Amino acid sequence: MNTGTGKTALITGASSGIGQELAKLFAQDGYNLILVARSDDKLDRLADVFKSNYGTQEITVIGKDLATEDAAQDVYNQVKAKGLAVDVLVNDAGVGLYGLFATDTDWEREKAMIHLNVLTLTQMTKLFLYDMLARNEGKILNLASLLSITPTPLMAVYAGTKAYVYNFTQSLINEVKDTHVTITALLPNATDTDFFFKAGAENTKVTDEVQDPVMVAKAGYDALMAGKSKAIPGGFKNKSYEVLSYVAPQETLAAVMRDKMKQKPEPDENEPKISLAWGIGFGIAVIAGIALTIGYKNTSDFTKAKYKYKAKSAGDTLSDTFSSLLDTVVDSVVDAYQTTKAKAEKVVSKAEDVEEEVAV
């Protein structure tokens, strides 16, 4: 169904990865395209493929290094000079950098990353959003990350830039809520692109759980078209990570992410493993925690304050131990979700009783 026929989508970072997959979806849906990336040659080849496979009528290629000063303004000027109106803006372009901030990473690369991930995205949004509001129509998709809602040692600056993107996007959503313009944040987990190689993190543990960029792009595209505020691809597991990022102590989250961002260890048959009993025990604790969270939503502000204080105190004490188990717990809970659903519902039904005990 060519719902976008006659409309134009501008995609940055369109030459590879999630950006390329998003561009493909727009092409399939009948959109005219403005493709932006550093490599003109890659974009030209991609344009030929889209024209051949999907019959895309108009494709404009803009070769631009978006990490340079006023790159967004230059892109905007080129678009306006061609008499084009952008109906959908996709701010996909972004880079990462791996290593200890104080000793391993290079400032010039970090500065370019901040410029690309933050400054260019912000200016692109400002320029094209103004035009969309003038027409009272348009859509914007900003690529954030699951790292935007959790501290991430060894990729501290990158995670900081994505935290900005997510917060910025959610703020703008409120500002434009009374218009026909919608803005969406895409929060993928680690994705199978060249991102980790370019960041110098290709041998980290997190690369063992990368997701398909086709799936990630489709989840972002569907959320964008539906006007949703955010999309977290990957099903229940990744949504569980989101919930944990809101309720777990920051110290614990930082420790968990530090472990996930470590280099892969050498194979060791004698490496100690977490027992099944530990996994089940903590899985039950997480399910109980979900029930407490549901009950917590209905408590008074005073009770919430007491609960937060107790949770913070307990979290500070258990942070080091919990961090080594949390990731395994999430996997255990996801695997057991279907079989424990009925029991969890019974726990939820007793949430008010549990809430009274928490408040004491």
Side-chain angles (χ1 to χ4, degrees):
M1 181 174 67
N2 292 336
T3 58
T5 301
K7 294 184 177 181
T8 299
L10 186 156
I11 303 101
T12 68
S15 61
S16 64
I18 298 171
Q20 180 175 309
E21 297 301 330
L22 283 165
K24 184 186 299 183
L25 291 170
F26 281 107
Q28 292 173 345
D29 217 8
Y31 279 82
N32 297 319
L33 302 175
I34 302 172
L35 307 178
V36 184
R38 286 187 298 178
S39 174
D40 294 68
D41 292 340
K42 287 184 178 180
L43 293 179
D44 286 335
R45 289 195 296 271
L46 195 61
D48 290 340
V49 170
F50 288 163
K51 289 178 180 178
S52 174
N53 291 353
Y54 311 120
T56 309
Q57 296 299 309
E58 295 182 17
I59 301 180
T60 300
V61 168
I62 298 179
K64 187 69 180 179
D65 182 356
L66 295 176
T68 58
E69 191 70 24
D70 287 329
Q73 185 67 61
D74 183 56
V75 170
Y76 179 79
N77 291 345
Q78 290 190 51
V79 170
K80 300 301 284 185
K82 296 177 185 295
L84 300 174
V86 171
D87 299 285
V88 181
L89 170 65
V90 177
N91 284 309
D92 171 79
V95 294
L97 186 61
Y98 177 80
L100 292 169
F101 173 72
T103 57
D104 295 349
T105 55
D106 175 71
W107 169 242
E108 291 303 318
R109 290 188 64 185
E110 282 170 332
K111 184 168 65 173
M113 176 171 60
I114 294 169
H115 201 116
L116 174 60
N117 295 5
V118 175
L119 294 179
T120 295
L121 178 144
T122 304
Q123 192 175 18
M124 289 282 285
T125 302
K126 190 174 189 70
L127 292 167
F128 288 103
L129 178 58
Y130 184 89
D131 291 345
M132 291 178 183
L133 290 174
R135 300 192 304 267
N136 197 25
E137 182 182 15
K139 297 180 180 294
I140 297 176
L141 179 66
N142 287 335
L143 192 75
S145 167
L146 269 182
L147 301 189
S148 66
I149 53 178
T150 182
T152 308
L154 300 177
M155 294 195 78
V157 177
Y158 172 78
T161 64
K162 291 302 179 179
Y164 169 85
V165 171
Y166 182 64
N167 192 297
F168 170 67
T169 301
Q170 297 305 312
S171 299
L172 292 187
I173 289 170
N174 178 268
E175 291 187 8
V176 304
K177 64 183 179 65
D178 295 324
T179 73
H180 289 101
V181 176
T182 62
I183 309 178
T184 304
L186 176 58
L187 285 74
N189 204 336
T191 306
D192 190 12
T193 66
D194 60 358
F195 170 85
F196 289 99
F197 177 78
K198 290 181 178 179
E202 64 272 21
N203 195 45
T204 52
K205 292 164 67 175
V206 72
T207 58
D208 286 337
E209 54 186 72
V210 291
Q211 300 180 134
D212 183 2
V214 175
M215 179 276 292
V216 171
K218 184 65 166 60
Y221 186 82
D222 289 345
L224 173 72
M225 292 300 151
K228 295 181 178 179
S229 63
K230 64 182 175 183
I232 300 178
F236 182 72
K237 180 176 181 178
N238 286 341
K239 289 179 174 60
S240 297
Y241 285 133
E242 181 197 16
V243 172
L244 288 171
S245 75
Y246 297 145
V247 300
Q250 292 294 293
E251 295 87 347
T252 299
L253 293 172
V256 170
M257 295 309 299
R258 175 67 179 266
D259 182 70
K260 292 171 75 70
M261 295 308 303
K262 286 180 179 178
Q263 296 289 311
K264 296 177 184 178
E266 294 296 327
D268 185 357
E269 294 182 358
N270 296 320
E271 183 180 354
K273 292 179 170 55
I274 301 171
S275 69
L276 178 61
W278 275 103
I280 294 174
F282 275 90
I284 293 171
V286 171
I287 293 173
I290 294 172
L292 284 170
T293 301
I294 295 172
Y296 166 83
K297 292 179 179 179
N298 297 319
T299 64
S300 66
D301 291 340
F302 176 74
T303 303
K304 287 181 180 179
K306 289 176 64 178
Y307 176 77
K308 286 181 179 179
Y309 175 77
K310 291 180 180 181
K312 178 64 166 61
S313 298
D316 290 343
T317 303
L318 298 174
S319 178
D320 291 340
T321 301
F322 188 50
S323 64
S324 65
L325 300 171
L326 183 58
D327 206 34
T328 298
V329 170
V330 171
D331 288 335
S332 299
V333 173
V334 173
D335 292 339
Y337 175 69
Q338 294 299 331
T339 58
T340 60
K341 183 178 179 182
K343 293 182 180 180
E345 289 175 348
K346 291 181 181 179
V347 173
V348 171
S349 69
K350 298 179 181 179
E352 291 184 0
D353 294 336
V354 175
E355 177 245 325
E356 291 178 0
E357 294 179 12
V358 171
V360 173

